Amino acid sequence: MRAVTIAAPGGLDRLRIMDRPDPGAPGPREIRVALHGSSLNFHDYLVCSGQSPAADGRVPMADGAGVVEAIGEGVAEFAVGDSVVSCFFPDWQDGPPTIGDFARTPGDGIDGFAQGTVVLPATAFTRAPAGYDAVEAATITTAGLTAWRALVVEGGLKAGDTVLVLGTGGVSIWALQIARAMGATVIATSSSDEKLERARQLGAAHGINYRSQPEWGQQARDWTGGRGVDHVIEVGGPATLGQSLNAVRVGGHISMIGVLTGRGGEVPTGMFLARQVRIGGIIVGSRRHQQDMVRAIDATGIRPVIDRRFSLEDLAEAFRYEESGGHFGKIGVEW
């Protein structure tokens, strides 16, 4: 069975295609899944590039989707032939978050999905959205579910709200699509006018180039008539938080999702208090959240935006493309 593994201490030039033993038949409450697709996330990049070291020989990639080949005793939720998609936190089934690390996250603390076949507990998967191929389905595990939890679960998104999405990566584009499907208005930021035009084609009502308009938070506030936006999908971190606080309305909601500009920095506490804003840290979501999201996708017909697809053998090249920052939406890997 083909698999990609990471040779410690990591680095894109240390990703290897190897043959691994077949995992065999599923045991009680397990399913055997033939995997056909994954998608890239910043977390995967940190692991594969060695910036977040993983165990020697670790199989990377948190996202995985494929088809059930066999079911073990006691599995009633799935049948042979079902299309399924993995869960980022396989041990977080429902309820409030209880996991604060990646010790049991596929592709980090345990083996991930850059391989041909896995045998895992049935509860490590949900059904895939109807009509999605494996790469499309894999985009919901991390990016899609993060956007869903930020807006719907924690943010209480409703029709008529205004959402500000930072950048045009996987989480932000998913947030744009979810917000539009639920009747919200979206403002998008990017350093590329071309990407802003693509965001408008997806339904964004307004775009702000943050290079030519460095006070983009005020620009977003002005566009709302001075009220401010209801939700911010904050993927930048310390260097962008001040602008996000300027953009959000009094009593609004900021979802802290990314740390692209660093892991620490000053917090503008005065503005935070004045806005009376809710800021919540978001790391993906539970299996129940994912099941709810799949039902919403089936009802609304949202399709993920796939920028490019690479083969499993070209995983390192896919990450180098991610490094370039030229992508819009998700980068997929299929086999």
Side-chain angles (χ1 to χ4, degrees), residues 49-116:
S49 65
Q51 297 178 59
S52 180
D56 185 56
R58 174 69 71 231
V59 177
M61 308 305 288
D63 302 350
V67 178
V68 176
E69 289 189 322
I71 62 173
E73 181 183 355
V75 175
E77 185 175 355
F78 301 114
V80 172
D82 283 348
S83 294
V84 295
V85 59
S86 63
C87 297
F88 187 89
F89 288 124
D91 301 326
W92 183 13
Q93 294 290 297
D94 200 355
T98 58
I99 300 171
D101 58 36
F102 305 111
R104 291 275 300 155
T105 294
D108 192 332
I110 60 175
D111 280 344
F113 296 104
Q115 54 183 315

Side-chain angles (χ1 to χ4, degrees), residues 18-278:
M18 303 185 68
D19 286 324
R20 287 167 61 95
D22 187 275
R29 296 177 294 282
E30 292 182 333
I31 59 175
R32 176 184 167 102
V33 178
L35 297 164
H36 297 295
S38 184
S39 72
L40 276 63
N41 301 287
F42 186 63
H43 180 85
D44 300 309
Y45 171 73
L46 293 177
V47 173
C48 289
S49 65
Q51 297 178 59
S52 180
D56 185 56
R58 174 69 71 231
V59 177
M61 308 305 288
D63 302 350
V67 178
V68 176
E69 289 189 322
I71 62 173
E73 181 183 355
V75 175
E77 185 175 355
F78 301 114
V80 172
D82 283 348
S83 294
V84 295
V85 59
S86 63
C87 297
F88 187 89
F89 288 124
D91 301 326
W92 183 13
Q93 294 290 297
D94 200 355
T98 58
I99 300 171
D101 58 36
F102 305 111
R104 291 275 300 155
T105 294
D108 192 332
I110 60 175
D111 280 344
F113 296 104
Q115 54 183 315
T117 308
V118 294
V119 172
L120 291 169
T123 52
F125 294 89
T126 70
R127 292 183 181 276
Y132 273 28
D133 66 25
V135 169
E136 291 175 317
T139 68
I140 76 172
T141 294
T142 303
L145 190 57
T146 298
W148 174 265
R149 182 180 165 208
L151 289 176
V152 179
V153 179
E154 308 294 346
L157 180 72
K158 61 185 184 298
D161 282 355
T162 302
V163 177
L164 173 63
V165 300
L166 273 58
T168 54
V171 174
S172 295
I173 294 302
W174 259 115
L176 189 164
Q177 292 179 285
I178 291 168
R180 291 297 300 126
M182 296 186 69
T185 300
V186 178
I187 303 171
T189 72
S190 175
S191 61
S192 163
D193 289 336
E194 179 183 355
K195 289 183 178 181
L196 289 174
E197 178 55 35
R198 293 185 65 185
R200 290 188 187 95
Q201 292 171 7
L202 285 174
H206 185 55
I208 304 172
N209 187 314
Y210 61 78
R211 291 201 189 280
S212 60
Q213 300 183 72
E215 297 299 318
W216 49 266
Q218 186 61 48
Q219 292 285 333
R221 172 170 290 277
D222 290 345
W223 191 82
T224 65
R227 176 179 182 271
V229 302
D230 298 289
H231 308 269
V232 180
I233 300 299
E234 170 56 77
V235 300
T240 56
L241 180 57
Q243 291 296 323
S244 293
L245 281 166
N246 198 20
V248 75
R249 67 168 173 83
V250 173
H253 181 239
I254 297 177
S255 295
M256 288 294 298
I257 291 166
V259 289
L260 297 178
T261 64
R263 295 179 179 271
E266 292 186 6
V267 176
T269 52
M271 189 179 294
F272 172 76
L273 292 171
R275 290 278 191 267
Q276 302 179 67
V277 68
R278 293 180 297 129

Side-chain angles (χ1 to χ4, degrees), residues 283-299:
I283 303 180
V284 198
S286 69
R287 185 172 188 256
R288 176 64 64 189
H289 295 152
Q290 186 161 306
Q291 291 170 320
D292 291 343
M293 183 185 179
V294 170
R295 282 193 291 270
I297 290 170
D298 288 342

